[in-house]
């Protein structure tokens, strides 16, 4: 016989409650048919844990209860990567009787009469343990197994609260465990914020995917997942959301009347804008103050963002806010001179080239207008001047570096536009042809 005692548990799970002296009962059974057995119970950390009645006598084939207690109340569970244990030792007791001192002396002397029946690991469980494991201070612990043990004692409401805490604290790698244990993925909490929203805020694409696959539903009336992802430039998350929720509203607005495109423009997130436009989001939409995404991009001084929006916009450059301001006016207010050309000055240059207004052209070029900037049709100011046959404008533009080899949206150079306009543009045609031949030479 290699043991005299059988335990009723493989581990003693202590339900931890902050600030309380916790404990857990367990049972030992004497396997002997005719003889009493003396038992000695000791913990690997006697400072932390004690067993009530550490020395005891169990009659033949009888079961006795014992209680493990946490010696002092704690505000946080005293977890360790090497859990404490209870060592169960036993010895046959033919007389069936002995005083505590006798039992102490019996187990103080090692020998073949002492059986080591079991080593029982001690675990802390319950929502307070899980909450601690989800806190930033638990980063150094090997906590996957501890967490699984802890939540096995939690009900659905507790698991759902823990899932919300995991999202808020960025511990999204515990999402699957909490959902599998029974957390309600469609609970919205007191402020009606969904778990998907929390996952997007944490920037964890895996958590977003898990929640979608677990049946998390959306409400297009209140959920603004694309807004959150767009502001962070998380195209990967936006792709997951659009694939997981084909009916997601691309142009839904927040409390300020802003779409996800607005949010991307405010933050200067060009990749997010490219994705949103590619799936059908509107670029020229205005918020409740009459601001288009371009207004915000100009107000924040985002050059690349403004260029993208101008390229995909129909009227945003000319739209005015409720205060009567264009995107150009907002850029001027903030002193973003790098935006002046694309938002206004280039338009003036194109207009002046069309009507041969050399004075205005000189003014625009002095303000930094890009002499080769194209309009929505791919025309440069030189295309316009050549098409109209305005020689003085053509010469001025060429002096400022206008390129004669640029093609418009249909593949025409300024020379070809002049030819298209007819013989009345002969002087301009000859001038551009001569310049072209000179460049080749």
């Amino acid at each position: 016989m290699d043991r005299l005692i059988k335990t009723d548990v493989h581990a003693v799970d202590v339900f931890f409650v902050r600030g309380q002296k916790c404990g857990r009962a367990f049972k030992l059974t004497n396997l002997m048919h005719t003889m009493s057995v003396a038992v000695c119970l000791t913990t690997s950390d006697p400072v932390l844990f004690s067993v009530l009645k550490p020395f005891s006598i169990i009659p033949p084939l009888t079961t006795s209860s014992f209680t493990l207690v946490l010696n002092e109340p704690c505000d946080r569970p005293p977890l360790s990567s090497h859990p404490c244990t209870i060592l169960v030792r036993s010895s046959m007791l033919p007389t069936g009787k002995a005083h505590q001192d006798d039992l102490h002396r019996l187990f103080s002397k090692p020998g073949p009469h002492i059986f080591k029946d079991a080593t029982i690991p001690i675990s802390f469980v319950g929502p307070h343990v899980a909450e601690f494991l989800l806190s930033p201070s638990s980063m150094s612990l090997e906590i996957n197994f501890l967490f699984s043990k802890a939540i096995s004692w939690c009900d659905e409401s507790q698991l759902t609260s823990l899932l919300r805490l995991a999202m808020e604290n960025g511990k999204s790698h515990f999402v699957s465990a909490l959902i599998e244990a029974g957390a309600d993925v469609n609970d919205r909490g007191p402020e009606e914020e969904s778990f998907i929203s929390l996952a997007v805020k944490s920037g964890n694409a895996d958590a977003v995917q898990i929640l979608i696959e677990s049946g998390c539903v959306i409400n297009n009336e209140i959920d603004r997942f694309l807004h959150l992802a767009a502001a962070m430039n998380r195209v990967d998350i936006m792709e997951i959301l659009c694939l997981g929720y084909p009916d997601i509203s691309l142009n839904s607005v927040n409390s300020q009347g802003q779409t996800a495109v607005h949010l991307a423009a405010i933050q200067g997130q060009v990749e997010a804008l490219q994705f949103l436009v590619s799936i059908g989001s509107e670029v020229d939409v205005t918020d409740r103050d009459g601001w288009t995404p371009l207004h915000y991009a100009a107000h924040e001084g985002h050059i690349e963002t403004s260029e993208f929006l101008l390229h995909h916009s129909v009227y945003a450059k000319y739209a005015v806010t409720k205060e009567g301001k264009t995107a150009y006016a907002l850029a001027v207010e903030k002193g973003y001179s790098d935006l002046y050309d694309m938002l206004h000055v280039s338009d003036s240059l194109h207009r002046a080239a069309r009507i041969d207004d050399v004075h205005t052209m000189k003014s625009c070029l002095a303000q930094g207008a890009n002499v080769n900037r194209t309009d929505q049709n791919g025309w440069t100011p030189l295309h316009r001047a050549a098409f109209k046959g305005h020689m003085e404008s053509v010469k001025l533009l060429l002096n400022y570096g206008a390129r004669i080899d640029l093609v418009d949206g249909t593949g025409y150079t300024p020379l070809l536009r002049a030819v298209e306009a007819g013989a009345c543009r002969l002087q301009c045609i000859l001038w551009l042809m001569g310049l072209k031949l000179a460049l080749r030479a």
Side-chain angles (χ1 to χ4, degrees):
M1 178 176 289
D2 59 354
R3 62 174 181 160
L4 306 177
I5 295 295
K6 180 181 72 174
T7 65
D8 72 329
V9 292
H10 296 294
V12 174
D13 296 331
V14 178
F15 194 90
F16 178 81
V17 180
R18 284 188 291 265
Q20 292 188 18
K21 197 171 183 178
C22 314
R24 173 72 193 282
F26 60 98
K27 295 178 179 180
L28 301 178
T29 299
N30 180 356
L31 298 175
M32 303 295 291
H33 287 72
T34 60
M35 190 176 298
S36 295
V37 170
V39 295
C40 173
L41 306 177
T42 56
T43 66
S44 58
D45 188 347
V47 175
L48 188 61
F49 290 107
S50 296
V51 177
L52 301 183
K53 298 191 305 179
F55 298 100
S56 187
I57 300 172
I58 306 177
L61 297 178
T62 300
T63 298
S64 294
S65 293
F66 298 84
T67 301
L68 174 76
V69 295
L70 186 63
N71 290 332
E72 296 294 336
C74 303
D75 289 330
R76 49 170 281 182
L79 301 176
S80 170
S81 54
H82 302 288
C84 296
T85 58
I86 303 170
L87 176 61
V88 180
R89 294 184 295 161
S90 63
S91 181
M92 288 184 283
L93 194 65
T95 63
K97 296 180 180 180
H99 294 291
Q100 289 292 307
D101 291 342
D102 297 329
L103 295 176
H104 188 278
R105 283 192 294 271
L106 175 65
F107 287 102
S108 65
K109 298 177 182 179
H113 65 290
I114 302 298
F115 289 77
K116 292 183 179 179
D117 294 272
T119 301
I120 311 173
I122 303 169
S123 300
F124 287 102
V125 298
H128 288 185
V129 178
E131 286 175 13
F132 172 74
L133 293 172
L134 292 172
S135 69
S137 56
S138 66
M139 290 297 291
S140 62
L141 291 171
E142 295 292 333
I143 58 178
N144 287 343
F145 174 73
L146 299 176
F147 188 77
S148 296
K149 286 283 291 184
I151 64 175
S152 65
W153 287 68
C154 298
D155 60 27
E156 180 182 309
S157 175
Q158 292 167 335
L159 290 166
T160 302
S161 296
L162 290 169
L163 180 57
R164 191 166 297 278
L165 182 63
M167 294 296 188
E168 292 171 351
N169 288 355
K171 297 295 186 77
S172 48
H173 47 288
F174 290 122
V175 169
S176 292
L178 288 163
I179 294 175
E180 289 171 6
D184 180 5
V185 296
N186 287 309
D187 178 81
R188 285 187 169 264
E191 298 190 10
E192 288 296 306
E193 185 169 28
S194 71
F195 283 116
I196 287 280
S197 177
L198 293 172
V200 174
K201 283 182 179 179
S202 72
N204 191 294
D206 290 338
V208 174
Q209 186 68 57
I210 291 169
L211 287 167
I212 292 173
E213 293 173 354
S214 300
C216 190
V217 299
I218 65 170
N219 183 341
N220 277 320
E221 296 299 318
I222 58 177
D223 291 326
R224 300 292 175 262
F225 308 140
L226 289 179
H227 289 68
L228 297 172
M232 298 188 296
N233 209 32
R234 292 300 300 270
V235 175
D236 57 335
I237 290 179
M238 289 194 288
E239 289 176 340
I240 293 171
L241 289 169
C242 291
L243 288 172
Y245 301 115
D247 60 340
I248 193 169
S249 178
L250 300 180
N251 297 302
S252 63
V253 297
N254 60 16
S255 58
Q256 287 77 45
Q258 299 163 340
T259 65
V261 174
H262 280 101
L263 271 292
I266 291 170
Q267 299 299 325
Q269 310 293 22
V270 178
E271 292 83 359
L273 284 172
Q274 291 171 338
F275 175 77
L276 289 168
V277 170
S278 72
I279 60 175
S281 297
E282 296 179 14
V283 172
D284 288 323
V285 64
T286 59
D287 66 10
R288 67 183 186 185
D289 293 319
W291 286 49
T292 65
L294 181 62
H295 281 102
Y296 283 107
H299 185 263
E300 299 299 326
H302 299 314
I303 297 173
E304 189 179 357
T305 304
S306 296
E307 284 192 303
F308 177 84
L309 291 169
L310 283 169
H311 183 70
H312 292 85
S313 170
V314 176
Y315 71 87
K317 183 189 291 189
Y318 313 105
V320 295
T321 67
K322 287 186 176 179
E323 295 180 346
K325 295 179 180 180
T326 62
Y328 171 71
L330 294 171
V332 171
E333 284 183 2
K334 300 296 289 287
Y336 296 131
S337 58
D338 290 341
L339 291 173
Y340 295 174
D341 174 54
M342 70 177 76
L343 292 176
H344 176 70
V345 179
S346 65
D347 279 0
S348 297
L349 180 60
H350 275 264
R351 192 179 307 109
R354 187 175 67 249
I355 63 175
D356 204 23
D357 184 351
V358 175
H359 175 75
T360 298
M361 290 173 65
K362 289 180 178 178
S363 175
C364 291
L365 292 166
Q367 293 179 60
N370 181 351
V371 72
N372 292 306
R373 182 173 293 280
T374 60
D375 63 11
Q376 65 271 22
N377 298 313
W379 284 39
T380 65
L382 185 59
H383 278 90
R384 295 200 172 280
F387 182 73
K388 290 292 186 178
H390 299 320
M391 276 304 303
E392 192 173 355
S393 294
V394 168
K395 292 178 181 179
L396 176 66
L397 291 168
L398 290 171
N399 286 337
Y400 273 88
R403 291 174 54 185
I404 64 170
D405 59 336
L406 292 180
V407 297
D408 61 19
T410 56
Y412 279 52
T413 64
L415 172 59
L416 291 176
R417 284 299 176 194
V419 171
E420 179 189 33
C424 59
R425 312 291 189 250
L426 182 59
Q427 185 182 7
C428 185
I429 293 170
L430 293 173
W431 183 274
L432 290 172
M433 288 182 65
L435 182 59
K436 185 174 181 180
L437 291 172
L439 289 174
R440 285 183 176 180

